Amino acid sequence: MLFYDSPNPAPNPRRVRIFAAEKGIDLPRREVSIPQREQKAPDYLEKNPRGQTPILELDDGTVIAESVAIMRYLEALHPEPPLFGTTPLEIAQVEMWCRRVEMILMPPVAQVWVHTHPFTAALPGRNSEWGEANRPRVAEALRFFDRSLAEREYTAGDRFTAADILLLTAVDFARFIGLETVDGLDALGGWHGRVSARESAAA
Ligand SMILES: N[C@@H](CCC(=O)N[C@@H](CS)C(=O)NCC(=O)O)C(=O)O
């Protein structure tokens, strides 16, 4: 198996690296440079027509795209420690919080990144007004997660799961692009300190 990876700050490949580190899986990897547009090269597009990283290529040539799909595949191969829950309720709660990170926090962060950040200045169709309009949506989403984390230690409950990996990579990417993340948000800040202290967070 070969993992097509991109270095930080790219948040989606980092999800898989943290997940693999938590599981103790050593994934053979090949780096795909986003600044050099290697994800849009014809041979890469043959593997993932979305032109994005990460992907996981299996030994028979099958390609799994989408970071959460790759994480689920690895979970099925290596169930311990469980990161997507074990009981019906825990599985649903991890799913619920993963979807909330993907649907509430990631979209406005992505819009600020694509439409306002200097690193994406060469992209066609940028609309800085739209990008700016998304800054308050990021702040609102972070307040939502802060309120929920006031009630529990981790994003989906009382133990570290895939939902924490999605939230951590989203918060760190938002921070990288210059957005305020945990300032004044005590529960989110405390959680961020806890999950950042894990060895896997260095991935
Ligand atoms: N939903 C996809 C998103 C993948 C994605 O947006 N990847 C970014 C890197 S973090 C990328 O390849 N960006 C370059 C581009 O879109 O051209 C996933 O979870 O894997």
Side-chain angles (χ1 to χ4, degrees), residues 10-13 15 34 39-40 51-54 66-67:
N12 296 290
R15 290 175 173 180
I34 292 176
Q39 79 281 14
K40 306 297 185 201
Q52 293 185 319
T53 63
E66 300 297 330
S67 52

Side-chain angles (χ1 to χ4, degrees), residues 12 19 58 66 76 78 87 104 126 135 137 182 184-185:
N12 296 290
F19 191 87
L58 308 187
E66 300 297 330
H78 303 270
T87 66
I104 298 172
R126 290 219 322 170
R135 285 183 196 272
R137 290 179 61 209
V182 301
L185 301 179

Side-chain angles (χ1 to χ4, degrees), residues 132-150:
E132 291 302 332
N134 275 276
R135 285 183 196 272
R137 290 179 61 209
V138 174
E140 192 187 323
L142 291 169
R143 283 196 297 274
F144 171 75
F145 287 99
D146 179 61
R147 283 194 299 277
S148 71
L149 280 161

